[in-house]
Amino acid sequence: MGQKKNAWALLIPGAALCLALGCSTRHDVAMAPVEVKPIHITIDVNVKVDRALDSFFDDIDAAEEEIKE
């Protein structure tokens, strides 16, 4: 009976120690400096405006042709 008592006396603190060590975690996170570079965006809307102007001037040219005739 003395051996069983000694085994439990070592087993319970040993299990508690393993449980405590297994539940503790540590994480090191290093933050590096972030470099933000400028972004250049070119949007070409000239095509749409150019088509609208062509359409507008085509109407004027057609009216001018009718006046000349």
Side-chain angles (χ1 to χ4, degrees):
M1 182 101 162
Q3 262 184 336
K4 285 186 179 182
K5 197 174 199 179
N6 286 339
W8 283 107
L10 291 176
L11 184 65
I12 292 174
L17 181 65
C18 288
L19 183 64
L21 290 176
C23 291
S24 66
T25 58
R26 181 176 178 178
H27 300 283
D28 291 327
V29 178
M31 291 296 293
V34 177
E35 181 179 348
V36 178
K37 295 182 180 179
I39 299 173
H40 299 283
I41 299 174
T42 303
I43 300 174
D44 191 10
V45 295
N46 296 335
V47 174
K48 187 174 182 179
V49 171
D50 190 35
R51 288 182 186 161
L53 288 174
D54 284 344
S55 150
F56 176 75
F57 288 121
D58 286 342
D59 293 342
I60 292 175
D61 289 340
E64 185 178 337
E65 290 296 324
E66 287 179 12
I67 293 172
K68 284 183 182 179
E69 290 176 1

